[in-house]
Amino acid sequence: MEGLVVGIDLCDAYTQVNCADERKTWTIPTVICRSKSADEWYVGKEAYAHNLQGDGVIVDKLVKLAKKDGTATICDVRYPARELLTRFLEHVLRLPADEYGKKPILQLVIAVPKLEAGLIRLLKECAGQLGFEDQQVHIISHPESFTYYILSQKKDIWNGVVGMFELSDERLRYYEMKVQRGMKKTIVLTEYEDMEEGFSLEILSTSSGCRLADMILSSCAERMMQKKSYSSVFLMGKGFEKREWAEEFMKRISSSRRIYLEDALFAKGAAYKALDHLQEKTQYPYTYICEGRLKSTVSMNVIHKGQETSVVLAAAGDQWYERVAALDVIPDNQKSVDFVVTPLDAKKRKLVSIPLEGFPERPERTTRVHIQVKFLDERTMDVHVKDQGFGDLFPSSGVQLRQEVML
């Protein structure tokens, strides 16, 4: 079936949309407006225009409002923020559909500045209201979107450390990606840090403010980059639309490195990931370690068909919010279920035991235990343990345990 793959960078200030097409990206302020005289809705700049004309009521910060499960009153009607966000996304998704001949959207990936379980559920619900199946929609972090964008470029761009500075009114953030090649697998590690020195872009309107901003960025670059071997450095955000004010900063980051300016990197990275979901075999056969991905492997040592083996419930690099595993075990002379948590540094491997408290006393090997593992975030495992009994001989007691485990 012919259709579109769409990547969205969704922020409270702006939203960008791309279809894995370097030539066409839409940037829309994340606002919605309803006409005072009719049930007509507008988004982005059109919303601002109707609001200025006085014939519409505008609502902004849609993501923040929806995360709080808030409401907005427009023309004496109270609208749930989730509905407003859904309406906004509906209008946004019309842009690529209209551009490319009303083709259906086969895969949608939404990138957000920070992943939270509640936000993931919210965006999945919004997409569901718009007719998307669950498997058609994926939510990723900005660091992961950055990673997909970089890996979609020529290899000489990422054969060393890749750095990126993002500067906007919302944040000053530094990203860093590096590839670690091993005998069995290649690991792509992406980290970021929000700079406490972030500043309002309004200071760039004065010469003294420009000097201060340049000094701040230069200090951040010196601290974060140090003596690492970079293959490229990217600049993103409204603050870098003009760079004359950042003379010292540009000198510091330009030394023997290629510098790239990109204004829609997260939307494009999300679109590349959406495209990859439609491939029979991934174009990115790596283990990713970044926000939204597990940093440790969780396994259990069991006896299966007389042989001791390790069952992996979740692997480092899995997306934590999509990973759910279940296993039935029969404890043999033990009163707990034990998990092995192995980070990238295997020397820091640890054993986590959950006592089977409250489970009925039975003869050995006559209790079947159902274990379900999911994740609340990349560092927190949520474990459910249930007594399944043992057939007609020992019916289930109904005892259940739940425990959160810090990885």
Side-chain angles (χ1 to χ4, degrees):
M1 180 180 180
E2 188 177 3
L4 303 176
V5 294
V6 176
I8 292 180
D9 175 19
L10 179 64
C11 303
D12 260 325
Y14 67 88
T15 295
Q16 293 184 307
V17 186
N18 184 269
C19 295
D21 184 347
E22 296 282 340
R23 296 165 297 173
K24 185 70 174 181
T25 299
W26 294 266
T27 300
I28 311 102
T30 309
V31 297
I32 192 168
C33 173
R34 187 200 148 171
S35 169
K36 292 181 179 179
S37 58
D39 188 21
E40 296 179 357
W41 296 84
Y42 312 95
V43 301
K45 293 180 180 179
E46 193 176 12
Y48 280 128
H50 281 274
N51 182 246
L52 288 173
Q53 293 170 9
D55 62 355
V57 179
I58 201 167
V59 181
D60 61 4
K61 294 183 172 57
L62 298 177
V63 181
K64 183 178 181 181
L65 188 63
K67 282 168 56 179
K68 296 192 300 183
D69 203 20
T71 61
T73 301
I74 307 175
C75 302
D76 298 324
V77 178
R78 179 176 292 181
Y79 291 93
R82 291 169 181 251
E83 179 183 337
L84 297 178
L85 183 58
T86 302
R87 287 180 180 271
F88 174 79
L89 291 172
E90 181 180 21
H91 279 71
V92 164
L93 290 171
R94 288 177 189 169
L95 298 172
D98 291 345
E99 178 75 13
Y100 297 103
K102 304 292 184 181
K103 294 177 182 177
I105 297 174
L106 304 181
Q107 282 287 328
L108 172 64
V109 174
I110 303 175
V112 294
K114 185 171 180 60
L115 276 182
E116 303 169 47
L119 179 58
I120 293 168
R121 289 194 296 270
L122 167 66
L123 294 177
K124 287 274 194 175
E125 289 172 9
C126 291
Q129 289 293 316
L130 297 176
F132 288 92
E133 299 292 336
D134 188 67
Q135 67 271 17
Q136 290 180 283
V137 183
H138 303 271
I139 318 300
I140 64 174
S141 65
H142 274 179
E144 182 165 344
S145 184
F146 166 67
T147 304
Y148 270 90
Y149 177 84
I150 298 301
L151 293 176
S152 299
Q153 309 307 306
K154 294 179 180 178
K155 284 192 175 182
D156 59 354
I157 289 179
W158 47 275
N159 59 9
V161 177
V162 180
M164 183 174 77
F165 289 89
E166 179 191 6
L167 177 60
S168 66
D169 274 320
E170 289 73 41
R171 67 187 65 85
L172 170 57
R173 180 181 282 185
Y174 172 73
Y175 299 79
E176 187 172 285
M177 188 196 97
K178 52 190 174 184
V179 178
Q180 299 176 348
R181 294 176 175 84
M183 293 289 291
K184 295 183 179 180
K185 59 184 177 181
T186 298
I187 296 173
V188 181
L189 177 63
T190 303
E191 300 175 298
Y192 74 91
E193 183 173 333
D194 287 314
M195 306 284 99
E196 295 181 356
E197 300 93 330
F199 51 85
S200 169
L201 300 185
E202 290 182 0
I203 72 171
L204 299 180
S205 61
T206 66
S207 57
S208 60
C210 288
R211 288 193 296 272
L212 175 60
D214 192 14
M215 183 175 66
I216 289 172
L217 277 185
S218 297
S219 175
C220 290
E222 181 177 10
R223 184 175 77 250
M224 301 307 300
M225 301 178 75
Q226 298 180 2
K227 297 181 180 180
K228 300 169 187 173
S229 178
Y230 285 81
S231 54
S232 58
V233 176
F234 284 74
L235 304 178
M236 182 184 168
K238 187 176 181 181
F240 292 121
E241 289 179 352
K242 297 180 180 180
R243 296 167 297 287
E244 296 82 2
W245 60 269
E247 184 177 353
E248 290 303 317
F249 168 72
M250 293 302 295
K251 287 180 182 178
R252 187 174 296 277
I253 68 171
S254 298
S255 177
S256 68
R257 305 174 185 122
R258 283 168 292 183
I259 308 300
Y260 298 91
L261 181 68
E262 178 54 71
D263 63 353
L265 184 147
F266 298 131
K268 292 176 181 178
Y272 285 131
K273 179 174 174 60
L275 183 63
D276 195 55
H277 277 295
L278 295 180
Q279 309 304 312
E280 290 185 9
K281 185 177 181 181
T282 180
Q283 303 300 303
Y284 311 92
Y286 315 115
T287 297
Y288 297 96
I289 304 297
C290 62
E291 182 178 299
R293 302 274 185 159
L294 295 175
K295 296 177 174 59
S296 299
T297 294
V298 179
S299 60
M300 294 185 69
N301 294 325
V302 301
I303 303 296
H304 180 65
K305 296 183 179 180
Q307 299 291 324
E308 185 172 345
T309 187
S310 177
V311 176
V312 175
L313 301 176
D318 285 349
Q319 292 175 308
W320 62 262
Y321 54 90
E322 293 187 348
R323 185 60 178 168
V324 178
L327 183 68
D328 281 357
V329 298
I330 300 175
D332 186 6
N333 197 33
Q334 66 182 79
K335 303 298 181 183
S336 65
V337 290
D338 301 328
F339 301 92
V340 179
V341 179
T342 308
L344 292 181
D345 183 356
K347 295 178 181 178
K348 297 181 179 180
R349 181 172 55 187
K350 64 180 180 180
L351 184 69
V352 175
S353 295
I354 297 180
L356 297 175
E357 296 178 353
F359 274 55
E361 294 289 339
R362 298 188 181 116
E364 290 301 326
R365 305 185 68 180
T366 59
T367 295
R368 185 181 297 274
V369 177
H370 179 72
I371 302 168
Q372 184 185 71
V373 169
K374 60 181 180 178
F375 297 86
L376 305 180
D377 55 42
E378 61 204 42
R379 297 180 180 85
T380 312
M381 180 171 67
D382 187 25
V383 182
H384 288 250
V385 182
K386 182 179 179 181
D387 173 31
Q388 297 284 73
F390 201 78
D392 295 334
L393 187 62
F394 296 104
S396 169
S397 66
V399 173
Q400 299 185 49
L401 303 174
R402 179 187 174 189
Q403 185 167 323
E404 293 181 9
V405 176
M406 300 302 296
L407 301 179

